[in-house]
Amino acid sequence: MNARLISFDTHSDERGHLSFGEFSNNLPFLVKRVYYIYDVPSKYRRGYHAHLKLEQVCFCPIGSCKMLLDDGTFKKEVVLDKPDSALYIGPGVWREMYDFEPNTVLMVLASDVYDESDYIRSYEDFKEVVG
Ligand code: T46
């Protein structure tokens, strides 16, 4: 599956923690866009799409949520619940985000600007694309 966990580096001392990702050590692409998702009621699921070319890194600096990943053959669930643990998702992976804890912030770093034509929003189309 074209998705994997990434560990950000962390410096910790009595003042607290500082975590960082840096191209190309633990950030596999140059970031062109940042967005974040928050105040998601726990009963809602988001996502329900894959991307044709976009690469993304997702993490929860605050709170937690789950992601279902599906490459058309295998499915797996990933819990994002640590500020220094991120999920890389490449093209061709269907994703759904759910079980957002109250006050969660899901941060997403993206390899490109927003382009609706890069989305596959129908599961039937997705299955055709991934074969
Ligand atoms: C993804 C998951 C993890 C924009 O105008 N600009 C943007 O940069 C983004 C990300 C979205 N939008 C618009 C498109 C929709 O009209 O914001 C609206 C909500 O987006 P969407 O329903 O796609 O949100 P999610 O949470 O289902 O999916 C998002 C990303 O779109 C997607 O790329 O991988 O988060």
Side-chain angles (χ1 to χ4, degrees), residues 57-71:
V57 166
C58 311
F59 61 103
C60 288
I62 300 169
S64 74
C65 70
K66 293 175 183 159
M67 285 185 105
L68 173 74
L69 304 173
D70 176 353
D71 66 3

Side-chain angles (χ1 to χ4, degrees), residues 3-64:
R4 65 180 185 276
L5 285 170
I6 289 174
S7 287
F8 288 150
D9 293 320
T10 300
H11 283 277
S12 300
D13 58 32
E14 63 276 12
R15 299 170 299 165
H17 308 289
L18 185 158
S19 295
F20 61 96
E22 189 171 67
F23 178 79
S24 60
N25 296 333
N26 44 13
L27 202 50
F29 54 82
L30 288 171
V31 175
K32 286 196 184 167
R33 177 167 53 106
V34 175
Y35 62 90
Y36 38 100
I37 295 168
Y38 53 99
D39 284 349
V40 180
S42 60
K43 65 180 178 182
Y44 285 106
R45 261 172 120 93
R46 303 184 61 113
Y48 295 98
H49 58 256
H51 283 281
L52 290 167
K53 292 184 184 162
L54 190 70
E55 298 178 275
Q56 301 193 103
V57 166
C58 311
F59 61 103
C60 288
I62 300 169
S64 74

